[in-house]
Amino acid sequence: MRLIFQACSMLFTMGNLVASQSQSPGWKNDISTTIINFNNEKMQITWAARELFPGENVSFSYTFDESKYKVWKPCPTYLLDQDYNSGCLFKTEGPTLAISIRNNNGSEELFSKRLKSDFYIKPNRPENVTFFWNEDTVTVSCNKPERAVKCLRLELQYKSKFDKQWQSRTSKCCSVGEQGFDSRKCYSFRVRLKRLVPYCNVVNYSSDWEAETFWMNGTLLDSCNDDIKPQSNTAIVLSCLLAVILMMLILLILLCKWQRLQKSVMPSVPDPKHIFDDLFSDHNGNFQEWIDKTDHAVVQTKLECEEPECITEAESPQEDEKKSNKHEPREKIFTFSEAAENNDPKEAQIACLMPMSNTIASFAGFHILMNDDMYVTL
């Protein structure tokens, strides 16, 4: 039985080939042509014009008429190769087709052929392709074509980014399934329709591939360049906000430490120039006038000279006389005790500013003791 079935299949195939390739006698009947029937809607027949007919622009005619007196139609649309007719595109009008190629003026037939247009069908792309996932199994389906569904097969190809070649699975139109997909991997999928050979076609024609899609664990992705799902906008905003807050805290801590370091290394020194601001701004440098204006302030504060620089010792009148005898009569040592006894606030202020030193500075008949590292600004 098996041998009988194979013999019948062989006879059927040979009959199709004979019917599709029966040719009329001629000196160029063995030339090569390419015949495509686009979804049984349009026919395209091409030939190598420059190799077969060099320097000659041939004409093409066809007919789907099976009667004895055929009506031939000229080619409505020629395909050109460097300004030479190299093919023809026309509408499919029936299952049986006869073609003829003649010289430019049509006086001589250069090639003729009779064939079955149904054996050269190239199907259209599958329409409305859908993917159904169930754990690690995917089922792909598409709309059924209007005619010759039994002659079509749906082919599914897939691969992950770790695969070098496509994996293929073919099933009857119009559904195909496959299982064993890793949920951690991203896969590329593409599908197309194929015509059965040799039962339906004498040429192995398939449709163009449908647009490639990318899936991971049942989720449609834009591409497989990155298997990690992109974070949501909320997560990105929160991450940026936390990073900014952390940077602000770090900068604040560094600023506080810098201020402490600056104070310990470079302590602030008070500027003495503001003590005598009134002397120059209000009195134009008149020291006597400035002293008179500040007398009341000296009396109220009752200058407390507790700092080492302002410590003075009270001297008795006898000691004053002895010291005055030792020095010139025009000079005298001015002390705070004498200023206090005389109730003279100006003298008390000057006495408070007088430093302890071995050096005596004379000013207006007064002696002022100063150290080497001190100075008096007037």
Side-chain angles (χ1 to χ4, degrees):
M1 292 293 295
R2 183 177 182 182
L3 293 175
I4 295 174
F5 178 76
Q6 290 180 351
C8 293
S9 299
M10 183 83 61
L11 291 174
F12 179 77
T13 303
M14 292 179 63
N16 287 342
L17 290 174
V18 171
S20 62
Q21 297 181 357
S22 60
Q23 300 172 348
S24 61
W27 68 281
K28 285 186 177 180
N29 288 335
D30 57 344
I31 68 175
S32 176
T33 57
T34 302
I35 304 170
I36 303 176
N37 185 359
F38 294 101
N39 199 41
N40 207 26
E41 297 174 355
K42 283 188 176 182
M43 295 289 300
Q44 176 181 290
I45 300 177
T46 57
W47 57 86
R50 289 182 296 170
E51 289 78 8
L52 297 174
F53 315 108
E56 186 174 3
N57 206 3
V58 298
S59 62
F60 178 87
S61 59
Y62 69 95
T63 181
F64 288 94
D65 192 357
E66 299 183 17
S67 63
K68 185 176 180 180
Y69 301 100
K70 297 179 176 60
V71 178
W72 293 86
K73 297 180 180 180
C75 178
T77 304
Y78 277 104
L79 304 177
L80 302 179
D81 181 11
Q82 295 184 358
D83 297 332
Y84 287 95
N85 298 335
S86 61
C88 182
L89 185 65
F90 53 94
K91 183 179 179 181
T92 303
E93 300 176 1
T96 303
L97 173 65
I99 61 175
S100 175
I101 299 178
R102 295 176 174 271
N103 58 3
N104 192 19
N105 55 17
S107 60
E108 181 184 359
E109 186 177 64
L110 304 177
F111 173 76
S112 65
K113 187 174 185 178
R114 187 171 178 270
L115 54 92
K116 287 287 186 178
S117 62
D118 293 345
F119 295 155
Y120 297 88
I121 293 179
K122 179 179 180 179
N124 289 337
R125 292 179 179 179
E127 298 179 354
N128 193 23
V129 178
T130 58
F131 289 78
F132 177 75
W133 287 86
N134 185 13
E135 296 181 353
D136 65 339
T137 303
V138 62
T139 301
V140 184
S141 60
C142 66
N143 292 346
K144 288 185 178 181
E146 296 179 357
R147 60 172 73 93
V149 178
K150 294 182 179 180
C151 289
L152 295 176
R153 294 293 182 266
L154 182 63
E155 181 182 8
L156 169 67
Q157 287 190 352
Y158 61 91
K159 69 174 181 178
S160 68
K161 69 177 184 179
F162 304 102
D163 299 328
K164 295 182 179 179
Q165 296 181 349
W166 290 92
Q167 306 295 324
S168 183
R169 182 66 181 269
T170 304
S171 180
K172 292 182 179 181
C173 187
C174 292
S175 179
V176 60
E178 184 64 300
Q179 61 182 2
F181 293 98
D182 191 343
S183 60
R184 297 169 297 179
K185 295 182 180 179
C186 178
Y187 292 89
S188 304
F189 291 90
R190 63 182 185 180
V191 293
R192 67 178 178 180
L193 291 173
K194 298 180 63 176
R195 289 274 295 185
L196 287 178
V197 177
Y199 305 106
C200 298
N201 264 30
V202 295
V203 183
N204 188 12
Y205 282 150
S206 301
S207 71
D208 296 333
W209 290 105
E210 182 62 9
E212 190 173 343
T213 56
F214 308 93
W215 295 82
M216 178 180 177
N217 195 22
T219 303
L220 181 64
L221 303 178
D222 294 334
S223 66
C224 283
N225 293 332
D226 192 355
D227 291 347
I228 302 175
K229 294 182 180 179
Q231 297 181 352
S232 62
N233 294 333
T234 305
I236 295 175
V237 171
L238 290 177
S239 301
C240 296
L241 184 61
L242 290 176
V244 171
I245 294 175
L246 182 60
M247 291 180 63
M248 292 178 63
L249 290 176
I250 293 174
L251 291 176
L252 184 60
I253 293 173
L254 292 177
L255 181 61
C256 294
K257 289 187 176 181
W258 169 252
Q259 290 179 350
R260 292 181 181 178
L261 180 63
Q262 188 178 18
K263 289 181 179 180
S264 61
V265 176
M266 296 180 294
S268 59
V269 178
D271 191 355
K273 68 180 181 179
H274 299 292
I275 298 176
F276 301 98
D277 285 344
D278 296 341
L279 175 61
F280 298 98
S281 62
D282 297 339
H283 305 286
N284 295 324
N286 190 334
F287 182 76
Q288 185 62 41
E289 182 181 349
W290 176 74
I291 288 293
D292 294 339
K293 291 291 184 180
T294 55
D295 282 347
H296 65 282
V298 177
V299 174
Q300 291 177 358
T301 55
K302 293 181 181 181
L303 295 171
E304 297 179 359
C305 298
E306 296 179 356
E307 297 181 1
E309 292 81 357
C310 294
I311 296 176
T312 59
E313 295 180 358
E315 297 180 353
S316 61
Q318 294 81 4
E319 293 177 351
D320 293 339
E321 292 177 357
K322 293 178 180 181
K323 291 182 179 180
S324 60
N325 295 330
K326 294 180 180 180
H327 298 283
E328 296 179 359
R330 293 183 181 180
E331 298 178 351
K332 64 178 180 179
I333 299 175
F334 189 81
T335 61
F336 179 76
S337 60
E338 294 175 358
E341 290 175 358
N342 297 331
N343 292 327
D344 190 347
K346 291 190 295 181
E347 295 179 355
Q349 185 178 12
I350 297 174
C352 186
L353 295 174
M354 183 178 65
M356 297 295 293
S357 174
N358 295 328
T359 303
I360 299 175
S362 298
F363 176 76
F366 298 98
H367 293 287
I368 300 175
L369 300 178
M370 298 180 64
N371 291 328
D372 293 337
D373 56 347
M374 298 182 63
Y375 62 91
V376 174
T377 303
L378 297 179

